[in-house]
Amino acid sequence: MISRCTTFLTGLMTTLLLAMPTVAQASTHHHHKTSHAEHKSHGKAHHKLALNHGPRGGHATRVSMRATMLDELEPALRSSAALVVNQESGEHIYEKNPHNVTPIASVSKLMTAIVTLDMHLSMDEPITITDDDIDRLKNSSSRLLVGTTLTRGEILHLALMASENRAAHALARTAPGGMANFVAHMNRTAESLGMHHTHFEDPTGLTSENVSTAEDLVRLVETAVRYPEIRQYSTSESYEFVSSVNGREYEFHNTNPLVKADNWQIGLSKTGYISEAGKCLVMQATIDSTPVVIVLLDSAGKFTRIADANRIKHWLETSPNAKLRAG
């Protein structure tokens, strides 16, 4: 710990000494460990760089090196909201709009899995996909054919790993009390976990009415990772079965390619996407011997959430500043 602090302070002093002769003033802000009012004021995680002007207000002489240095202390994520938390200490290592309420798409399926498992239903009970499980809201496609019969455990596996909407819907539809009771159970569980800015309307996440915050989703991930089935199913690479409808073999794959990466140690994973939510990703992972929860919401590009996750990993592994925050 002493060597980490020494490295960080040495770099800090060197940069400031270099900046002093030429920089008259700098304007910057840093969002870590700020008050709630500051979060609302600054919003984004980037830093604004101030230009120094001569006494006559002429040409800019130099960009503030102090602001540049602060920029380099943390990754420039492209997700609209993000939160990285040390799972052991609860320390917020990185945050960006953690209190923004936003649609969470299929990240909802983590709560669907928790409620299913909390009902202590038989994982060997057969469940058949019906017309009721077809998505008529977004008209999303599915290779899980109507008439397919699998065990509840297999259905849960597909809902978590492949984010199968028909599977998630079937879990709720066949639960005691039906769909309405299941969704009510989802909301009660969220409230009991302290997820006070979270609301569910369905078990799939296809509706934009399923909303939460990055901070609430950390609570969800920390709870979900305690379930062995969720850890196993959400991180498995693929699953195959022979269809009871046509006798053909179907292979489903994980929607998060990072579970196949040798340089990642992932304990839980869930992706999500609808147009209103953007690309979402939540994970529990161990990085540089530190267990962390990563929440990335509303990423615009197809690969942005994966790139952001890799940026976070690289930062935690190489930045003295990140290492100090991670403990």
Side-chain angles (χ1 to χ4, degrees):
M1 183 66 183
I2 292 175
S3 62
R4 290 181 178 179
C5 290
T6 301
T7 300
F8 171 69
L9 290 174
T10 300
L12 177 64
M13 291 302 296
T14 300
T15 305
L16 290 177
L17 287 171
L18 289 172
M20 285 175 61
T22 54
V23 181
Q25 60 181 6
S27 171
T28 186
H29 69 268
H30 196 272
H31 66 285
H32 293 286
K33 298 183 180 177
T34 53
S35 67
H36 180 63
E38 287 174 318
H39 283 299
K40 293 179 68 176
S41 172
H42 297 317
K44 300 296 182 180
H46 65 273
H47 304 286
K48 296 179 181 178
L49 304 183
L51 297 179
N52 288 327
H53 297 278
R56 298 180 181 178
H59 297 292
T61 58
R62 188 171 181 178
V63 175
S64 166
M65 289 189 66
R66 177 169 173 262
T68 302
M69 178 196 70
L70 288 174
D71 274 343
E72 293 172 351
L73 294 181
E74 60 187 24
L77 302 189
R78 310 298 169 80
S79 301
S80 296
L83 187 55
V84 182
V85 174
N86 183 320
Q87 196 178 354
E88 292 180 336
S89 68
E91 173 100 19
H92 285 204
I93 306 171
Y94 176 97
E95 59 183 35
K96 176 181 181 181
N97 299 323
H99 308 296
N100 281 12
V101 177
T102 183
I104 59 172
S106 287
V107 175
S108 305
K109 293 184 176 77
L110 283 179
M111 184 62 81
T112 301
I114 289 173
V115 170
T116 297
L117 293 168
D118 282 352
M119 288 183 170
H120 303 292
L121 305 172
S122 171
M123 290 295 107
D124 296 323
E125 180 181 346
I127 292 178
T128 299
I129 302 300
T130 71
D131 286 334
D132 291 336
D133 300 317
I134 296 175
D135 168 28
R136 292 184 171 84
L137 177 63
K138 301 289 187 182
N139 296 313
S140 58
S141 61
S142 173
R143 293 190 301 128
L144 196 54
L145 304 179
V146 171
T148 299
T149 299
L150 297 168
T151 66
R152 179 175 280 108
E154 290 176 303
I155 293 290
L156 179 61
H157 193 164
L158 293 177
L160 289 172
M161 180 196 73
S163 207
E164 253 297 335
N165 293 313
R166 291 182 184 181
H169 191 277
L171 289 171
R173 174 178 56 79
T174 59
M179 182 66 65
N181 180 64
F182 191 95
V183 174
H185 197 155
M186 293 174 71
N187 285 307
R188 287 195 302 271
T189 301
E191 189 65 26
S192 71
L193 295 176
M195 300 170 62
H196 301 308
H197 302 288
T198 299
H199 178 74
F200 296 101
E201 283 288 330
D202 89 319
T204 67
L206 286 167
T207 171
S208 60
E209 298 301 312
N210 282 21
V211 297
S212 189
T213 66
E215 189 169 55
D216 276 6
L217 291 179
V218 167
R219 296 176 183 267
L220 180 60
V221 172
E222 288 178 334
T223 300
V225 78
R226 299 171 190 164
Y227 293 76
E229 297 91 344
I230 297 179
R231 293 198 305 270
Q232 177 187 345
Y233 294 159
S234 71
T235 59
S236 66
E237 296 182 18
S238 63
Y239 185 72
E240 301 174 4
F241 65 89
V242 176
S243 172
S244 57
V245 175
N246 57 21
R248 293 175 55 187
E249 184 177 274
Y250 286 82
E251 184 174 6
F252 289 73
H253 296 273
N254 202 303
T255 53
N256 179 7
L258 294 179
V259 301
K260 297 185 293 184
D262 292 335
N263 63 332
W264 275 91
Q265 186 179 344
I266 299 174
L268 177 147
S269 167
K270 190 68 200 77
T271 63
Y273 173 75
I274 55 173
S275 58
E276 297 92 334
K279 300 283 186 177
C280 303
L281 174 63
V282 300
M283 294 193 296
Q284 187 279 335
T286 299
I287 301 175
D288 198 28
S289 301
T290 300
V292 296
V293 174
I294 299 172
V295 176
L296 300 168
L297 302 177
D298 190 17
S299 298
K302 182 177 181 181
F303 302 107
T304 302
R305 60 188 174 186
I306 303 302
D308 275 355
N310 281 318
R311 289 184 187 102
I312 289 169
K313 183 175 183 292
H314 177 75
W315 178 61
L316 290 175
E317 291 173 335
T318 61
S319 166
N321 186 55
K323 290 175 181 290
L324 284 175
R325 295 178 198 168

